[in-house]
Amino acid sequence: MAPVTQDASPPATHSPRLQFKTYLLLLIMIIFGPLGNVLLGMGMKHLSHGSWSAAQLPALLAEGIGSGTVWLGIASLITFFVANILVLSWADYSFVQPAASLAYLVVAVMGRFILHEAVTPLRWAGVGIICVGVAVIGRTPARTTEGAP
Amino acid sequence: MTMEVILFILVMAAGTAGELCVSRAMKTIGEVHDFRPKAILKVIGRAMTISWMWLGLALMTTAFLSLLGVLAIEEVSMVVPVTAMSYVLGTLGGKFFLKEKVTSQRWAGVLLVCAGAALVILGSK
């Protein structure tokens, strides 16, 4: 393994700078992740007309890879992915993954207003509880593996 | 229907395993300080030399194709919250694979997330 070159700034685990960086990247993740999924859903449902059989699936996936809407979704998910791997270079996975789950609220809102999906009260409640879970997890420190290789 | 369940499981299991591999690769690189596009590309280039990153990308591609299949029939506002069930897998992976400390408070949050995902499924029948 190559030695890691560090910048002049020390690795201040709980500094405001690191927190700002973390929350900025989380914001990018919770916008572009859901947007990507909405675009994928839009593109795939347009192709499938709402159903498929196991035999049709490979052809449908191939068609999906050729769809412009699906590619817009992929571009959005790549933005999400880059933000995700950058934030994972310093923050714990078991902090980042739950914190990024605010995206579930965003995806329900986008599904309701962009795709006109019928989001039932029980589904909203479920999404709300997911967000409460996120708030509980958000109060735990962002890094626990100090000095790990 | 059974095919759909298999795809759902692939989205969660392959997706979580893939993210854990990617996370492990990125921890090898260390904290990213420079956010100029050129520097980010350099970090990505360096990440691509780590085999954990390639295994992670293969698993995430599998999860992605499965997700496309599921999204072709189910609503986005149902599919995406249900994949929150992978939080248990992710937290276990963080604990045992990446040696992160998982506090009881974090476990409580993860359980709430799972309860929410269960309600989303119940709200879709």
Side-chain angles (χ1 to χ4, degrees), chain A residues 4 6-7 18 21 37 40 44-45 48 50-52 61 74 81 85 88-91 93-95 97-98 101 104 107 115 117-120 122-123 126 129-130 133 136-137 139-141 144-145, chain B residues 3 7 19-20 22 26-33 35 60 64-65 67-69 71-78 80-81 84 87 90 99-101 103 105-106 109-110 112-113 116 119-120 123-124:
Chain A
V4 177
Q6 295 282 350
D7 285 350
L18 187 60
K21 229 165 65 167
N37 285 319
L40 294 185
M44 290 309 290
K45 255 178 228 86
S48 71
S51 69
W52 47 251
L61 291 179
I74 291 174
F81 178 74
I85 63 171
L88 283 175
S89 74
W90 66 81
Y93 176 79
S94 51
F95 169 79
Q97 192 201 32
S101 82
Y104 295 113
V107 90
L115 299 177
E117 294 179 352
V119 182
T120 63
L122 208 51
R123 201 185 286 182
I129 291 173
I130 290 173
V136 171
I137 292 154
R139 293 167 62 89
T140 59
T144 60
T145 50
Chain B
M3 188 68 188
L7 290 184
E19 282 179 27
L20 285 168
V22 166
M26 291 306 290
K27 283 290 182 331
T28 310
I29 288 175
E31 187 188 335
V32 176
H33 294 279
F35 284 81
M60 287 170 83
F64 176 74
L65 289 175
L67 179 68
L68 279 189
L71 284 178
I73 36 178
E74 295 292 349
E75 292 189 325
V76 176
S77 61
M78 188 277 260
V80 177
Y87 275 46
K99 312 282 182 236
E100 297 169 358
K101 289 186 194 74
T103 62
Q105 192 187 345
R106 206 178 277 189
V110 166
L112 278 172
V113 167
L119 279 187
V120 169
S124 305

Coordinates of all heavy atoms in Angstrom, one line a residue, chain A residues 4 6-7 18 21 37 40 44-45 48 50-52 61 74 81 85 88-91 93-95 97-98 101 104 107 115 117-120 122-123 126 129-130 133 136-137 139-141 144-145, chain B residues 3 7 19-20 22 26-33 35 60 64-65 67-69 71-78 80-81 84 87 90 99-101 103 105-106 109-110 112-113 116 119-120 123-124:
Chain A
V4 N 0.1 7.5 2.4 CA -0.8 8.5 2.0 C -0.2 9.9 2.3 O 0.3 10.2 3.4 CB -2.1 8.3 2.9 CG1 -3.1 9.5 2.6 CG2 -2.7 7.0 2.6
Q6 N -0.5 13.7 3.2 CA -1.5 14.6 3.8 C -1.2 16.0 3.5 O -0.1 16.4 3.3 CB -1.4 14.4 5.4 CG -1.8 13.0 5.8 CD -3.3 12.8 5.8 OE1 -4.1 13.7 5.7 NE2 -3.8 11.5 6.0
D7 N -2.3 16.9 3.5 CA -2.1 18.3 3.4 C -1.6 18.9 4.7 O -1.5 18.1 5.7 CB -3.5 19.0 3.1 CG -3.9 18.7 1.6 OD1 -3.0 18.3 0.9 OD2 -5.0 19.0 1.3
L18 N -14.5 20.2 8.8 CA -14.8 18.8 8.4 C -16.3 18.6 8.4 O -16.9 17.9 7.5 CB -14.1 17.8 9.3 CG -14.3 16.3 8.9 CD1 -13.7 16.1 7.5 CD2 -13.6 15.4 9.9
K21 N -17.9 20.2 5.3 CA -17.6 19.4 4.1 C -18.6 18.2 4.1 O -19.1 17.8 3.1 CB -16.2 18.9 4.2 CG -15.4 19.1 3.0 CD -13.9 19.0 3.3 CE -13.4 17.6 3.7 NZ -12.0 17.4 3.7
N37 N -33.1 8.1 -9.1 CA -34.1 7.0 -9.0 C -35.4 7.4 -9.7 O -36.0 6.5 -10.4 CB -34.3 6.6 -7.6 CG -33.2 5.9 -7.0 OD1 -32.6 5.0 -7.6 ND2 -32.8 6.2 -5.8
L40 N -34.8 7.0 -13.4 CA -34.8 5.6 -13.8 C -36.2 5.0 -13.9 O -36.5 4.3 -14.8 CB -33.9 4.8 -12.8 CG -32.4 5.1 -12.7 CD1 -31.8 4.0 -11.7 CD2 -31.8 5.0 -14.0
M44 N -37.9 3.5 -17.2 CA -38.2 2.1 -17.2 C -39.7 1.8 -17.4 O -40.1 0.9 -18.1 CB -37.6 1.3 -16.0 CG -36.1 1.3 -15.9 SD -35.4 0.6 -17.4 CE -35.9 -1.1 -17.4
K45 N -40.5 2.6 -16.7 CA -42.0 2.4 -16.7 C -42.5 2.7 -18.1 O -43.4 2.1 -18.6 CB -42.7 3.1 -15.7 CG -43.1 2.2 -14.6 CD -43.8 2.9 -13.4 CE -43.2 2.5 -12.1 NZ -42.1 3.2 -11.7
S48 N -41.7 -0.5 -20.1 CA -42.3 -1.8 -19.7 C -43.8 -1.7 -19.7 O -44.5 -2.7 -19.7 CB -41.8 -2.1 -18.3 OG -42.4 -1.3 -17.3
G50 N -45.5 -1.1 -17.2 CA -45.9 -1.6 -15.9 C -45.8 -3.0 -15.6 O -46.3 -3.5 -14.6
S51 N -45.3 -3.9 -16.6 CA -45.2 -5.3 -16.3 C -44.1 -5.9 -17.1 O -43.7 -5.4 -18.2 CB -46.5 -6.0 -16.5 OG -46.8 -6.1 -17.9
W52 N -43.5 -7.0 -16.6 CA -42.6 -7.8 -17.4 C -42.6 -9.3 -16.9 O -43.1 -9.6 -15.8 CB -41.2 -7.3 -17.3 CG -40.6 -7.0 -16.0 CD1 -40.3 -5.7 -15.5 CD2 -40.2 -7.9 -14.9 NE1 -39.8 -5.8 -14.3 CE2 -39.6 -7.1 -13.9 CE3 -40.1 -9.2 -14.8 CZ2 -39.2 -7.6 -12.7 CZ3 -39.7 -9.8 -13.6 CH2 -39.2 -9.0 -12.5
L61 N -34.0 -4.7 -19.9 CA -32.8 -4.1 -19.3 C -31.9 -3.5 -20.4 O -31.5 -2.3 -20.2 CB -32.0 -5.0 -18.4 CG -32.7 -5.5 -17.1 CD1 -31.8 -6.5 -16.4 CD2 -33.1 -4.3 -16.2
I74 N -28.7 7.9 -14.7 CA -27.4 7.4 -14.4 C -26.5 8.6 -14.1 O -25.7 8.5 -13.1 CB -26.9 6.5 -15.6 CG1 -27.7 5.2 -15.6 CG2 -25.4 6.2 -15.4 CD1 -27.4 4.4 -16.8
F81 N -22.9 9.2 -6.5 CA -21.9 8.2 -6.1 C -20.5 8.9 -5.8 O -19.8 8.5 -4.9 CB -21.7 7.3 -7.3 CG -20.6 6.2 -7.1 CD1 -20.8 5.2 -6.3 CD2 -19.4 6.3 -7.8 CE1 -19.9 4.2 -6.1 CE2 -18.5 5.3 -7.6 CZ -18.7 4.3 -6.8
I85 N -18.5 8.5 -2.3 CA -17.2 8.0 -2.1 C -16.3 9.0 -1.5 O -15.4 8.7 -0.7 CB -16.5 7.3 -3.3 CG1 -16.3 8.2 -4.5 CG2 -17.4 6.1 -3.8 CD1 -15.5 7.6 -5.6
L88 N -17.0 9.2 2.2 CA -16.6 7.9 2.8 C -15.1 7.9 3.0 O -14.6 7.0 3.8 CB -17.1 6.7 2.0 CG -18.5 6.4 2.1 CD1 -18.9 5.2 1.2 CD2 -18.9 6.0 3.5
S89 N -14.3 8.8 2.4 CA -12.9 8.8 2.6 C -12.5 9.3 4.0 O -11.4 9.1 4.5 CB -12.2 9.6 1.6 OG -12.4 11.0 1.8
W90 N -13.5 10.0 4.8 CA -13.2 10.4 6.1 C -14.3 10.0 7.1 O -14.0 9.8 8.3 CB -12.9 11.9 6.2 CG -14.0 12.8 5.9 CD1 -15.0 13.1 6.8 CD2 -14.3 13.4 4.7 NE1 -15.9 13.9 6.2 CE2 -15.5 14.1 4.9 CE3 -13.7 13.4 3.5 CZ2 -16.1 14.9 3.9 CZ3 -14.3 14.2 2.5 CH2 -15.5 14.9 2.7
A91 N -15.5 9.9 6.7 CA -16.6 9.6 7.6 C -16.9 8.1 7.6 O -16.8 7.4 6.6 CB -17.8 10.5 7.3
Y93 N -18.9 4.7 7.4 CA -20.0 4.2 6.5 C -21.3 4.1 7.4 O -22.3 4.4 6.9 CB -19.6 2.8 6.0 CG -20.7 2.2 5.2 CD1 -20.9 2.5 3.9 CD2 -21.5 1.2 5.7 CE1 -21.9 1.9 3.1 CE2 -22.5 0.6 5.0 CZ -22.7 0.9 3.7 OH -23.7 0.4 2.9
S94 N -21.1 3.6 8.6 CA -22.3 3.4 9.4 C -22.9 4.8 9.9 O -23.9 4.8 10.6 CB -22.1 2.4 10.6 OG -20.9 2.8 11.3
F95 N -22.2 5.9 9.7 CA -22.8 7.2 9.9 C -23.4 7.8 8.6 O -24.5 8.2 8.5 CB -21.7 8.2 10.4 CG -22.2 9.6 10.4 CD1 -23.0 10.1 11.4 CD2 -21.8 10.5 9.4 CE1 -23.4 11.4 11.4 CE2 -22.2 11.8 9.3 CZ -23.0 12.3 10.3
Q97 N -24.3 6.2 5.7 CA -25.5 5.5 5.1 C -26.8 5.9 5.8 O -27.7 6.3 5.1 CB -25.3 4.0 5.1 CG -26.3 3.3 4.2 CD -26.5 1.8 4.6 OE1 -26.4 1.5 5.7 NE2 -26.8 1.0 3.6
P98 N -26.9 5.9 7.1 CA -28.1 6.3 7.7 C -28.4 7.8 7.5 O -29.5 8.2 7.3 CB -27.9 6.0 9.2 CG -26.9 5.0 9.2 CD -25.9 5.3 8.1
S101 N -30.1 8.8 4.5 CA -31.5 8.3 4.3 C -32.5 9.3 4.3 O -33.7 9.0 4.0 CB -31.8 7.2 5.4 OG -32.2 7.8 6.5
Y104 N -34.9 9.3 1.5 CA -36.2 8.6 1.4 C -37.4 9.6 1.5 O -38.4 9.3 0.8 CB -36.3 7.6 2.5 CG -35.2 6.5 2.3 CD1 -34.2 6.3 3.3 CD2 -35.3 5.7 1.2 CE1 -33.2 5.4 3.1 CE2 -34.3 4.7 1.0 CZ -33.3 4.6 2.0 OH -32.3 3.6 1.8
V107 N -37.3 11.3 -2.0 CA -37.8 10.4 -3.1 C -39.4 10.3 -3.0 O -40.0 10.2 -4.0 CB -37.1 9.0 -3.0 CG1 -37.8 8.0 -2.2 CG2 -37.0 8.5 -4.5
L115 N -43.8 12.2 -10.4 CA -44.4 11.0 -11.1 C -45.8 10.8 -10.8 O -46.4 9.8 -11.3 CB -43.6 9.7 -10.6 CG -42.1 9.7 -11.0 CD1 -41.4 8.5 -10.4 CD2 -41.8 9.8 -12.5
E117 N -47.3 9.6 -8.2 CA -47.6 8.3 -7.5 C -48.5 8.6 -6.3 O -48.5 9.6 -5.7 CB -46.3 7.7 -7.0 CG -45.4 7.3 -8.1 CD -44.0 6.7 -7.7 OE1 -43.8 6.7 -6.5 OE2 -43.3 6.2 -8.5
A118 N -49.4 7.6 -6.0 CA -50.3 7.7 -4.9 C -49.6 7.2 -3.6 O -49.4 6.1 -3.3 CB -51.5 6.8 -5.1
V119 N -49.0 8.2 -2.9 CA -48.3 7.9 -1.7 C -49.3 7.9 -0.5 O -49.9 8.9 -0.2 CB -47.2 9.0 -1.4 CG1 -46.4 8.6 -0.1 CG2 -46.2 9.1 -2.6
T120 N -49.6 6.7 0.0 CA -50.6 6.5 1.1 C -50.1 7.1 2.4 O -48.9 7.2 2.6 CB -50.9 5.0 1.3 OG1 -49.7 4.3 1.7 CG2 -51.4 4.3 0.0
L122 N -49.9 5.6 5.2 CA -49.0 4.7 5.9 C -47.6 4.8 5.3 O -46.6 4.7 6.0 CB -49.6 3.3 5.7 CG -49.3 2.2 6.7 CD1 -49.6 2.7 8.1 CD2 -50.0 0.9 6.5
R123 N -47.5 5.0 4.0 CA -46.2 5.1 3.4 C -45.5 6.4 3.8 O -44.3 6.4 4.1 CB -46.4 5.1 1.8 CG -45.1 4.8 1.1 CD -45.2 4.9 -0.4 NE -46.0 3.8 -1.0 CZ -46.2 3.7 -2.3 NH1 -45.6 4.6 -3.1 NH2 -46.9 2.7 -2.8
G126 N -44.3 5.7 7.3 CA -43.0 4.9 7.2 C -41.8 5.7 6.9 O -40.8 5.6 7.6
I129 N -40.9 7.8 9.9 CA -40.1 7.0 10.9 C -38.7 6.8 10.5 O -37.8 6.9 11.3 CB -40.9 5.7 11.2 CG1 -42.2 6.0 12.0 CG2 -40.0 4.8 12.1 CD1 -43.1 4.8 12.2
I130 N -38.5 6.6 9.2 CA -37.1 6.4 8.7 C -36.3 7.7 9.0 O -35.2 7.6 9.5 CB -37.1 6.2 7.2 CG1 -37.7 4.8 6.9 CG2 -35.7 6.3 6.6 CD1 -37.9 4.5 5.4
G133 N -35.4 7.9 12.6 CA -34.2 7.0 12.8 C -32.9 7.8 12.4 O -31.9 7.7 13.1
V136 N -31.9 10.2 15.1 CA -31.2 9.5 16.2 C -29.8 9.2 15.8 O -28.8 9.4 16.6 CB -32.0 8.2 16.5 CG1 -31.2 7.4 17.5 CG2 -33.4 8.6 17.1
I137 N -29.6 8.7 14.6 CA -28.2 8.3 14.2 C -27.3 9.5 14.0 O -26.1 9.5 14.3 CB -28.3 7.5 12.9 CG1 -29.0 6.1 13.2 CG2 -27.0 7.3 12.3 CD1 -29.7 5.5 12.0
R139 N -26.9 12.0 15.7 CA -26.4 12.5 17.0 C -25.2 11.7 17.4 O -24.6 12.0 18.5 CB -27.4 12.6 18.1 CG -28.5 13.6 17.8 CD -29.7 13.4 18.7 NE -29.3 13.6 20.1 CZ -29.4 14.8 20.7 NH1 -29.7 15.8 20.1 NH2 -29.0 14.9 22.0
T140 N -24.8 10.7 16.6 CA -23.6 9.9 17.0 C -22.4 10.5 16.2 O -22.6 11.1 15.1 CB -23.8 8.4 16.7 OG1 -24.1 8.3 15.3 CG2 -25.0 7.9 17.5
P141 N -21.1 10.3 16.7 CA -20.0 10.9 16.0 C -19.8 10.4 14.6 O -20.1 9.2 14.3 CB -18.8 10.6 17.0 CG -19.3 9.5 17.8 CD -20.8 9.6 17.9
T144 N -15.2 7.0 14.1 CA -14.8 6.3 15.3 C -13.5 5.5 15.1 O -12.9 5.0 16.0 CB -15.9 5.3 15.7 OG1 -16.1 4.4 14.6 CG2 -17.2 6.0 16.0
T145 N -13.1 5.4 13.8 CA -11.9 4.6 13.5 C -10.7 5.5 13.4 O -10.0 5.6 12.4 CB -12.1 3.8 12.2 OG1 -12.5 4.7 11.2 CG2 -13.0 2.7 12.4
Chain B
M3 N -39.7 -13.5 -8.9 CA -38.5 -12.9 -9.6 C -38.3 -11.5 -9.0 O -37.2 -11.0 -8.8 CB -38.9 -12.8 -11.1 CG -37.7 -12.4 -12.0 SD -36.4 -13.6 -12.0 CE -35.2 -12.6 -12.9
L7 N -35.0 -9.9 -7.2 CA -34.4 -8.6 -7.6 C -34.3 -7.7 -6.4 O -33.3 -7.0 -6.3 CB -35.2 -8.0 -8.8 CG -35.1 -8.7 -10.1 CD1 -35.9 -7.9 -11.2 CD2 -33.7 -8.9 -10.6
E19 N -21.1 -1.2 -1.6 CA -20.8 0.0 -0.9 C -19.7 -0.2 0.2 O -18.8 0.6 0.4 CB -22.0 0.7 -0.2 CG -22.9 1.4 -1.2 CD -24.1 2.0 -0.6 OE1 -24.1 2.3 0.6 OE2 -25.2 2.1 -1.3
L20 N -19.8 -1.4 0.9 CA -18.8 -1.7 1.9 C -17.4 -1.8 1.2 O -16.4 -1.4 1.8 CB -19.2 -3.0 2.6 CG -20.3 -2.8 3.7 CD1 -20.8 -4.2 4.1 CD2 -19.8 -2.0 4.9
V22 N -16.4 -0.4 -1.6 CA -16.0 0.9 -2.0 C -15.5 1.7 -0.8 O -14.4 2.4 -0.9 CB -17.1 1.6 -2.7 CG1 -16.8 3.1 -2.9 CG2 -17.4 1.0 -4.1
M26 N -11.8 3.4 -0.2 CA -11.6 4.8 0.0 C -10.9 5.1 1.3 O -10.2 6.1 1.4 CB -13.0 5.6 0.0 CG -13.6 5.6 -1.4 SD -12.6 6.3 -2.7 CE -12.5 8.0 -2.2
K27 N -11.1 4.2 2.3 CA -10.4 4.4 3.6 C -8.9 4.2 3.4 O -8.1 4.7 4.1 CB -10.9 3.4 4.6 CG -12.3 3.8 5.2 CD -12.2 5.0 6.2 CE -13.5 5.4 6.8 NZ -14.7 5.1 6.1
T28 N -8.5 3.3 2.4 CA -7.1 3.1 2.1 C -6.5 4.4 1.6 O -5.4 4.7 1.8 CB -7.0 2.0 1.0 OG1 -7.8 0.9 1.4 CG2 -5.6 1.6 0.7
I29 N -7.3 5.2 0.8 CA -6.8 6.4 0.2 C -6.6 7.5 1.3 O -5.7 8.3 1.3 CB -7.7 6.9 -0.9 CG1 -7.6 6.0 -2.1 CG2 -7.5 8.4 -1.3 CD1 -8.5 6.3 -3.2
G30 N -7.6 7.5 2.3 CA -7.5 8.5 3.4 C -8.4 9.7 3.1 O -8.9 9.8 2.0
E31 N -8.5 10.6 4.0 CA -9.4 11.8 3.9 C -9.0 12.7 2.7 O -7.9 13.0 2.5 CB -9.3 12.7 5.2 CG -10.4 13.8 5.1 CD -10.2 14.7 6.3 OE1 -9.6 14.4 7.3 OE2 -10.7 15.9 6.1
V32 N -10.0 13.0 1.9 CA -9.8 13.9 0.7 C -9.9 15.3 1.2 O -10.8 15.8 1.8 CB -10.9 13.6 -0.3 CG1 -10.8 14.6 -1.5 CG2 -10.8 12.2 -0.8
H33 N -8.8 16.1 0.9 CA -8.8 17.5 1.3 C -9.0 18.5 0.1 O -9.4 19.6 0.3 CB -7.4 17.8 1.9 CG -7.1 17.1 3.1 ND1 -7.6 17.5 4.4 CD2 -6.4 16.0 3.4 CE1 -7.2 16.7 5.3 NE2 -6.5 15.7 4.7
F35 N -10.8 19.6 -3.3 CA -12.1 19.4 -4.0 C -12.1 20.0 -5.4 O -13.2 20.1 -6.0 CB -13.3 19.8 -3.2 CG -13.6 18.9 -2.1 CD1 -12.9 19.0 -0.9 CD2 -14.5 17.9 -2.2 CE1 -13.1 18.1 0.1 CE2 -14.8 17.1 -1.2 CZ -14.1 17.1 0.0
M60 N -22.1 -3.3 -7.3 CA -23.1 -2.2 -7.4 C -23.7 -2.2 -8.8 O -24.9 -1.8 -8.9 CB -22.4 -0.9 -7.1 CG -22.1 -0.7 -5.7 SD -21.0 0.7 -5.2 CE -22.2 2.0 -5.2
F64 N -27.6 -2.3 -9.5 CA -28.2 -1.3 -10.4 C -29.2 -1.9 -11.4 O -30.3 -1.5 -11.6 CB -27.1 -0.5 -11.1 CG -27.7 0.5 -12.1 CD1 -28.3 1.7 -11.6 CD2 -27.6 0.3 -13.4 CE1 -28.8 2.6 -12.5 CE2 -28.2 1.2 -14.3 CZ -28.8 2.3 -13.9
L65 N -28.7 -3.0 -12.1 CA -29.5 -3.7 -13.1 C -30.8 -4.3 -12.4 O -31.9 -4.2 -13.0 CB -28.7 -4.8 -13.8 CG -27.7 -4.2 -14.7 CD1 -26.8 -5.3 -15.3 CD2 -28.3 -3.4 -15.9
L67 N -32.2 -3.1 -9.8 CA -33.1 -1.9 -9.5 C -33.9 -1.5 -10.7 O -35.1 -1.2 -10.6 CB -32.2 -0.7 -9.0 CG -33.0 0.6 -8.6 CD1 -33.8 0.4 -7.4 CD2 -32.0 1.7 -8.4
L68 N -33.2 -1.5 -11.9 CA -33.9 -1.1 -13.1 C -35.1 -2.0 -13.3 O -36.2 -1.6 -13.7 CB -33.0 -1.2 -14.3 CG -32.0 0.0 -14.6 CD1 -31.4 -0.2 -16.0 CD2 -32.7 1.3 -14.6
G69 N -34.9 -3.3 -13.1 CA -36.0 -4.3 -13.3 C -37.1 -4.0 -12.4 O -38.3 -4.1 -12.8
L71 N -37.9 -1.2 -10.8 CA -38.5 0.1 -11.1 C -39.4 0.1 -12.4 O -40.2 1.0 -12.6 CB -37.4 1.2 -11.3 CG -36.8 1.7 -10.0 CD1 -35.7 2.7 -10.3 CD2 -37.8 2.3 -9.0
A72 N -39.2 -0.9 -13.2 CA -40.0 -1.0 -14.4 C -41.4 -1.4 -14.0 O -42.3 -1.1 -14.8 CB -39.4 -2.1 -15.3
I73 N -41.7 -1.9 -12.8 CA -43.1 -2.2 -12.5 C -43.6 -1.5 -11.2 O -44.7 -1.2 -11.1 CB -43.3 -3.7 -12.3 CG1 -42.1 -4.4 -11.8 CG2 -43.7 -4.3 -13.7 CD1 -42.3 -5.9 -11.6
E74 N -42.7 -1.3 -10.2 CA -43.1 -0.8 -8.9 C -42.9 0.7 -8.9 O -42.1 1.3 -9.6 CB -42.4 -1.4 -7.8 CG -42.7 -2.9 -7.6 CD -44.1 -3.2 -7.2 OE1 -44.9 -2.2 -6.8 OE2 -44.5 -4.4 -7.2
E75 N -43.6 1.4 -8.0 CA -43.5 2.8 -7.8 C -42.2 3.2 -7.1 O -41.8 2.5 -6.2 CB -44.7 3.4 -6.9 CG -46.0 3.3 -7.7 CD -47.1 4.0 -6.9 OE1 -47.1 4.0 -5.7 OE2 -48.0 4.6 -7.6
V76 N -41.6 4.3 -7.5 CA -40.3 4.7 -7.0 C -40.4 5.0 -5.5 O -39.5 4.7 -4.7 CB -39.8 6.0 -7.7 CG1 -38.5 6.5 -7.1 CG2 -39.6 5.7 -9.2
S77 N -41.6 5.6 -5.1 CA -41.7 6.0 -3.6 C -42.0 4.8 -2.8 O -42.0 4.9 -1.5 CB -42.9 7.0 -3.5 OG -44.1 6.5 -3.9
M78 N -42.2 3.6 -3.4 CA -42.2 2.4 -2.6 C -40.9 1.6 -2.6 O -40.3 1.3 -1.6 CB -43.3 1.4 -3.1 CG -43.6 0.2 -2.2 SD -42.5 -1.1 -2.5 CE -43.5 -2.2 -3.5
V80 N -37.7 2.6 -3.3 CA -36.5 3.2 -2.6 C -36.6 3.1 -1.1 O -35.6 2.6 -0.5 CB -36.3 4.6 -3.1 CG1 -35.1 5.2 -2.4 CG2 -36.0 4.6 -4.7
P81 N -37.7 3.5 -0.4 CA -37.8 3.3 1.0 C -37.6 1.8 1.5 O -37.0 1.5 2.5 CB -39.1 3.8 1.4 CG -39.5 4.8 0.4 CD -38.9 4.2 -0.9
A84 N -34.3 0.5 2.3 CA -33.8 0.9 3.6 C -33.5 -0.3 4.5 O -32.8 -0.2 5.4 CB -34.7 1.9 4.2
Y87 N -30.2 -1.4 5.8 CA -29.5 -0.7 6.9 C -28.9 -1.7 7.9 O -27.8 -1.4 8.5 CB -30.4 0.3 7.6 CG -30.3 1.6 6.9 CD1 -30.4 1.7 5.5 CD2 -30.1 2.8 7.6 CE1 -30.4 2.9 4.8 CE2 -30.1 4.0 6.9 CZ -30.2 4.0 5.5 OH -30.1 5.2 4.9
G90 N -25.9 -3.0 6.4 CA -24.8 -2.0 6.3 C -24.2 -1.7 7.7 O -23.0 -1.6 7.8
K99 N -14.6 -2.5 10.9 CA -14.2 -2.3 12.3 C -14.7 -1.0 12.9 O -13.9 -0.4 13.7 CB -12.7 -2.4 12.5 CG -12.1 -3.7 11.8 CD -12.3 -4.9 12.6 CE -11.6 -6.1 11.9 NZ -12.6 -7.2 11.7
E100 N -15.8 -0.5 12.5 CA -16.3 0.8 13.1 C -17.1 0.4 14.3 O -17.6 -0.7 14.5 CB -17.3 1.4 12.1 CG -16.6 1.9 10.8 CD -17.6 2.3 9.7 OE1 -18.8 2.2 9.9 OE2 -17.1 2.7 8.6
K101 N -17.1 1.4 15.3 CA -17.8 1.2 16.5 C -19.3 1.6 16.3 O -19.5 2.7 15.9 CB -17.2 2.0 17.7 CG -15.8 1.5 18.1 CD -15.4 2.3 19.4 CE -13.9 2.1 19.6 NZ -13.1 2.8 18.6
T103 N -22.6 2.3 18.2 CA -23.2 2.6 19.6 C -24.6 2.1 19.6 O -25.2 1.8 18.6 CB -23.2 4.1 19.9 OG1 -24.0 4.7 19.0 CG2 -21.8 4.7 19.8
Q105 N -27.1 3.7 20.6 CA -27.9 4.8 20.0 C -28.1 4.6 18.5 O -29.1 4.7 17.9 CB -27.4 6.2 20.4 CG -28.4 7.3 20.1 CD -27.8 8.6 20.3 OE1 -26.7 8.8 20.8 NE2 -28.4 9.6 19.7
R106 N -26.9 4.3 17.9 CA -27.0 4.1 16.4 C -27.8 2.9 16.1 O -28.5 2.9 15.1 CB -25.5 4.0 15.9 CG -25.4 4.4 14.5 CD -24.0 4.4 13.9 NE -23.2 5.6 14.3 CZ -22.0 5.8 13.8 NH1 -21.5 5.0 12.9 NH2 -21.4 6.9 14.1
G109 N -31.4 3.9 16.1 CA -31.8 4.6 14.9 C -32.0 3.6 13.7 O -32.9 3.8 12.9
V110 N -31.1 2.7 13.6 CA -31.2 1.7 12.5 C -32.5 0.9 12.6 O -33.2 0.7 11.6 CB -29.9 0.8 12.5 CG1 -30.2 -0.5 11.7 CG2 -28.7 1.5 12.1
L112 N -35.3 1.9 14.0 CA -36.4 2.8 13.6 C -36.5 2.9 12.1 O -37.6 2.8 11.5 CB -36.1 4.2 14.1 CG -36.6 4.5 15.6 CD1 -36.1 5.9 16.0 CD2 -38.1 4.4 15.7
V113 N -35.4 3.0 11.4 CA -35.3 3.0 9.9 C -36.0 1.7 9.4 O -36.8 1.8 8.4 CB -33.9 3.2 9.4 CG1 -33.8 2.9 7.9 CG2 -33.4 4.6 9.7
G116 N -39.8 1.8 9.8 CA -40.3 2.7 8.8 C -40.4 2.0 7.5 O -41.5 2.1 6.8
L119 N -43.4 -0.2 7.4 CA -44.7 0.5 7.2 C -44.9 0.9 5.8 O -46.0 0.8 5.3 CB -44.7 1.8 8.1 CG -45.1 1.6 9.6 CD1 -45.2 3.0 10.2 CD2 -46.4 0.9 9.7
V120 N -43.8 1.2 5.1 CA -43.9 1.6 3.7 C -44.4 0.4 2.9 O -45.3 0.5 2.0 CB -42.5 2.1 3.1 CG1 -42.5 2.2 1.6 CG2 -42.2 3.4 3.7
G123 N -48.0 -0.1 3.6 CA -48.8 1.0 3.0 C -48.9 0.8 1.5 O -49.5 1.7 0.9
S124 N -48.4 -0.2 0.9 CA -48.4 -0.4 -0.5 C -49.3 -1.5 -1.0 O -49.4 -1.8 -2.2 CB -47.0 -0.6 -1.0 OG -46.2 0.5 -0.6

